Amino acid sequence: VKVTIKDISREAGVSIATVSRALNNKPRTSSKTRAKILSVAERLGYQPNAAARTLSRDKTDAIGVVFHQMTSGFYASVMTGIDLEAYTQGYHVLVTISKGSDPGHDAAQALARAMRVDGLIILDATFNDSALARLKESGRPIVVIQRALKDPQVSSVAPDNIGGARAAVRHLLSLGYRDLLLIAGPPAAEDSSLRMEGCRQALGEAGIDPRRVPCILGHYSSAEALKAFRAYCASQTLPRAVFAFNDDMALAVMKELRITGVKVPQQVAVVGFDDIDAADYMGLTTVRVPMIEMGQEAVRLLAARMADPSAPAKHVLKDATLVIRESCGGE
Amino acid sequence: VKVTIKDISREAGVSIATVSRALNNKPRTSSKTRAKILSVAERLGYQPNAAARTLSRDKTDAIGVVFHQMTSGFYASVMTGIDLEAYTQGYHVLVTISKGSDPGHDAAQALARAMRVDGLIILDATFNDSALARLKESGRPIVVIQRALKDPQVSSVAPDNIGGARAAVRHLLSLGYRDLLLIAGPPAAEDSSLRMEGCRQALGEAGIDPRRVPCILGHYSSAEALKAFRAYCASQTLPRAVFAFNDDMALAVMKELRITGVKVPQQVAVVGFDDIDAADYMGLTTVRVPMIEMGQEAVRLLAARMADPSAPAKHVLKDATLVIRESCGGE
DNA sequence: TTGTAGGCGTTATCAA
DNA sequence: TTGATAACGCCTACAA
């Protein structure tokens, strides 16, 4: 069940060089022999051996994706976009989920250095600058999702974190909420800082001192957020509105409120960020990030640099728009 | 930035054959030269070229995963398990999401035939028998998730669909619900049929004629389920309890009920299947399927057959247990 | 327009 | 214990 160009050449009565040329649409081949070769290849069910091709062309036609985790809805959606676009561009997709303390960085490096992929997409907020620097040494093009880099060698695609957060807080303020609680991501995460900046801007516009608005750390994790939220509620009065910097945390809070018998939004309004599928189920007002589009865009950016490594890196910002549902301001 | 065994051989003053042997821990090598070679390799940052290795060993050290979609929480979790175990077994993971009408079958075949992967995991309920038969011709081991096959050539890992559904219906009946509505998956999907069988058993035990229990088709899709549910409600009185054959559909129904002002579970109880993350947020009583474990098991089954293709295929059934939350019977 | 031959980086089979 | 050398399947000058 394994047919090579050798088989085709024998069957068609030509040399393997001619077969290779015909199969790759190289200019110098008579259309007659080419037709014959193609038909033979078809009949034999020929499939070029990827390894052999990689070895001789120095190109894998595959891209690698490094995840932090993928159960989070957000990642799954971005991945869908990546796969969609990779397919139309003719690339295969390899995935690696970061493991434990060593956040898959070395796995990623190995992927690139071992000639398994032509380029990498990083979908991992824990990927810091030094890890990125090491990865650049592999010499392969890289695209980072979710961080708005300025790096001239690494392309990036990110949502408009500032604008999105600003819109969310403006919405809360316009509804009259003043007693807010913010739930941020990891302090080191760039997108969390930007979302915080968006909050500051909106608060500033309304003449509120941002420093007087309480903020707890949820590390983008529902479990962490829940712990922090409970601790906060134990020592403070319940806020009138909560803005969590991602949906996972917002949904965890909503669940906690429901269980403890607090009505959303009548007693506490909740707003999230991302618009994962579960947000719709829960009727969570949130900032929609175009996840699938971001995945597609990342592949396009990567493809551009793989085609021409000397091309400058691009940095794309996607709009993030407020989606109003029942948890805050909806009907 | 590209170092090969040739570079190492030159640097260490030995032949490439010796280098290869040392690097692969082959028996006949003096421990002195081996140590030297290893240190040189380390110093030079050597990384074996995967393509060359594949060509020579006829082995890719990679497995392919064929998805139907991956936004569904269920798939994302299984994928996490797959990646986890693949990593510990030393395999790389390639993914392909089925596209449109041609459900990725040919993509999968190409993957296997092009020597990109050593084996395949199918995570796609739309993968029918004929597609599977074609895929078997690639000669690579295959593991199917979510279908309890009997095929002696194809391993499978599935949840106990009958037992899970039976437990769910028994629970509903034990709470006194008699006026049930079932929301099934696609008629062609094996797991949906099995869940239906589980319902029948539980109903039969209680002396209820299963044919008198209404059942609508949701095709495992929240949108489809919603449409069917609305149509049903328009022509019938609201049921007292709904058992949807997956969480996506159950959550869609819960959302619809909330929006229309129907209290869950006071007016209508809801039970789902799978226990995706969102189920916990929504407080949905459901049948937990060990998704991560299933992914891990699939890789183990695949690895076993890749190591020894003559080994018989195994068919593993995982327990599916009821998780009681607020949507039905919880506190 | 076609064929011959060398090379891509490894592994594996022989001799030495 | 080592070192030549022939695969593996494909691509691509260079010749014919």
Side-chain angles (χ1 to χ4, degrees):
Chain A
V1 271
K2 190 197 242 169
V3 32
T4 74
I5 51 172
K6 234 177 193 163
D7 301 316
I8 299 179
S9 80
R10 188 172 355 89
E11 197 80 5
V14 295
S15 74
I16 61 166
T18 305
V19 174
S20 177
R21 266 181 246 122
L23 257 29
N24 291 293
N25 286 312
K26 294 285 177 182
R28 322 231 205 102
T29 327
S30 85
S31 51
K32 253 191 358 207
T33 50
R34 162 170 319 180
K36 164 134 205 171
I37 289 170
L38 290 181
S39 87
V40 172
E42 172 72 26
R43 179 157 56 78
L44 265 46
Y46 170 75
Q47 192 75 18
N49 181 308
R53 190 169 260 193
T54 294
L55 203 52
S56 94
R57 296 214 281 211
D58 197 48
K59 193 168 176 328
T60 64
D61 293 326
I63 63 180
V65 181
V66 180
F67 280 94
H68 176 49
Q69 51 148 133
M70 71 180 323
T71 49
S72 162
F74 177 84
Y75 293 100
S77 284
V78 176
M79 181 61 197
T80 300
I82 290 175
D83 189 274
L84 217 57
E85 184 67 18
Y87 180 77
T88 76
Q89 302 246 359
Y91 287 103
H92 291 265
V93 180
L94 270 136
V95 311
T96 311
I97 302 183
S98 304
K99 316 287 182 308
S101 58
D102 169 25
H105 306 166
D106 295 341
Q109 220 193 356
L111 220 55
R113 300 263 318 283
M115 270 294 289
R116 280 210 126 97
V117 298
D118 295 331
L120 286 168
I121 294 178
I122 309 296
L123 194 44
D124 182 345
T126 70
F127 224 90
N128 54 40
D129 289 329
S130 77
L132 200 59
R134 268 192 294 148
L135 203 54
K136 283 200 286 191
E137 290 170 11
S138 74
R140 308 257 166 218
I142 302 172
V143 174
V144 173
I145 292 185
Q146 231 184 356
R147 295 188 54 191
L149 300 175
K150 294 279 180 294
D151 197 311
Q153 289 184 66
V154 179
S155 294
S156 70
V157 39
D160 179 5
N161 288 303
I162 296 181
R166 198 172 44 210
V169 173
R170 276 185 187 155
H171 176 67
L172 285 167
L173 295 174
S174 77
L175 291 175
Y177 294 111
R178 284 294 177 280
D179 180 16
L180 309 182
L181 171 65
L182 304 178
I183 306 184
E190 186 184 276
D191 54 352
S192 180
S193 309
L194 293 173
R195 288 170 196 187
M196 185 59 82
E197 172 58 23
C199 293
R200 279 198 208 94
Q201 293 185 6
L203 291 167
E205 290 168 2
I208 299 176
D209 182 355
R211 285 165 304 184
R212 292 198 38 237
V213 175
C215 176
I216 61 181
L217 260 42
H219 296 275
Y220 284 156
S221 132
S222 52
E224 293 287 332
L226 196 55
K227 215 190 314 174
F229 181 67
R230 282 188 181 139
Y232 179 84
C233 294
S235 64
Q236 310 280 326
T237 63
L238 222 52
R240 280 290 287 121
V242 174
F243 175 32
F245 286 10
N246 78 4
D247 286 351
D248 281 315
M249 301 192 295
L251 293 173
V253 166
M254 272 181 82
K255 186 197 168 177
E256 173 75 2
L257 292 172
R258 188 188 63 232
I259 289 181
T260 53
V262 178
K263 292 256 183 298
V264 174
Q266 293 83 351
Q267 294 174 262
V268 176
V270 180
V271 177
F273 208 111
D274 284 349
D275 195 27
I276 62 178
D277 287 351
D280 183 36
Y281 290 144
M282 297 277 282
L284 174 66
T285 291
T286 188
V287 178
R288 170 173 296 159
V289 172
M291 300 171 280
I292 293 183
E293 270 180 58
M294 283 172 58
Q296 292 175 303
E297 183 71 50
V299 174
R300 269 182 241 120
L301 292 175
L302 195 61
R305 300 219 57 197
M306 292 190 298
D308 176 14
S310 70
K314 277 194 187 173
H315 303 284
V316 175
L317 215 61
K318 294 283 185 188
D319 277 346
T321 58
L322 194 67
V323 178
I324 297 171
R325 299 204 181 89
E326 303 93 292
S327 78
C328 172
E331 32 208 291
Chain B
V1 270
K2 189 197 243 166
V3 32
T4 74
I5 51 173
K6 236 176 193 165
D7 300 317
I8 299 178
S9 80
R10 189 173 352 93
E11 198 79 4
V14 295
S15 73
I16 61 166
T18 306
V19 174
S20 177
R21 263 180 249 121
L23 257 28
N24 290 292
N25 285 313
K26 296 284 178 183
R28 327 240 200 94
T29 325
S30 86
S31 52
K32 252 191 359 206
T33 51
R34 162 168 320 180
K36 163 132 205 173
I37 288 171
L38 290 181
S39 87
V40 172
E42 171 74 24
R43 179 158 57 76
L44 264 44
Y46 171 74
Q47 192 76 17
N49 181 308
R53 188 169 262 189
T54 294
L55 202 53
S56 151
R57 295 212 283 209
D58 197 48
K59 195 167 175 325
T60 65
D61 294 326
I63 63 180
V65 181
V66 180
F67 279 95
H68 176 49
Q69 50 147 135
M70 71 180 324
T71 49
S72 163
F74 176 84
Y75 293 101
S77 284
V78 176
M79 181 62 197
T80 300
I82 290 175
D83 190 274
L84 217 58
E85 184 68 19
Y87 181 77
T88 74
Q89 303 246 358
Y91 286 103
H92 291 265
V93 179
L94 269 136
V95 310
T96 310
I97 302 183
S98 304
K99 316 290 184 302
S101 59
D102 169 25
H105 307 165
D106 294 340
Q109 221 194 353
L111 219 57
R113 302 264 318 283
M115 268 295 290
R116 279 211 128 96
V117 298
D118 295 331
L120 287 167
I121 294 178
I122 309 296
L123 194 44
D124 181 345
T126 71
F127 225 89
N128 54 40
D129 290 329
S130 75
L132 199 60
R134 267 192 295 148
L135 203 55
K136 282 200 286 190
E137 290 171 11
S138 74
R140 308 256 166 220
I142 302 173
V143 174
V144 173
I145 293 185
Q146 230 185 355
R147 295 186 55 190
L149 299 175
K150 294 279 180 295
D151 197 312
Q153 290 184 63
V154 179
S155 293
S156 69
V157 39
D160 180 4
N161 288 302
I162 295 182
R166 196 172 45 212
V169 173
R170 275 184 187 155
H171 176 65
L172 284 167
L173 295 173
S174 77
L175 291 175
Y177 294 110
R178 285 294 177 278
D179 178 17
L180 308 183
L181 170 66
L182 305 178
I183 306 184
E190 185 183 280
D191 53 352
S192 180
S193 308
L194 293 172
R195 288 169 196 187
M196 185 59 80
E197 173 58 24
C199 293
R200 279 198 208 95
Q201 293 184 5
L203 291 168
E205 291 169 2
I208 299 177
D209 182 354
R211 285 165 303 182
R212 290 197 40 238
V213 175
C215 176
I216 61 181
L217 261 43
H219 297 275
Y220 283 156
S221 134
S222 52
E224 292 286 329
L226 196 55
K227 215 191 311 176
F229 182 66
R230 283 186 180 141
Y232 179 84
C233 294
S235 64
Q236 310 279 327
T237 63
L238 221 53
R240 280 291 288 121
V242 174
F243 175 31
F245 286 10
N246 79 4
D247 285 350
D248 281 315
M249 301 192 294
L251 293 173
V253 166
M254 274 181 81
K255 187 199 168 178
E256 172 75 2
L257 292 172
R258 189 188 62 232
I259 288 182
T260 54
V262 177
K263 293 255 184 300
V264 174
Q266 294 82 351
Q267 294 174 262
V268 177
V270 179
V271 177
F273 208 112
D274 283 349
D275 195 27
I276 62 178
D277 287 351
D280 183 35
Y281 290 144
M282 296 277 282
L284 174 67
T285 291
T286 188
V287 179
R288 171 173 295 160
V289 172
M291 300 172 280
I292 292 182
E293 269 181 58
M294 282 172 58
Q296 291 175 303
E297 184 70 51
V299 174
R300 270 183 241 119
L301 291 175
L302 195 60
R305 300 220 56 198
M306 291 189 300
D308 176 13
S310 69
K314 278 194 188 172
H315 303 284
V316 174
L317 215 60
K318 293 284 184 186
D319 278 345
T321 57
L322 195 66
V323 179
I324 296 171
R325 300 205 181 89
E326 303 93 293
S327 77
C328 172
E331 30 208 290

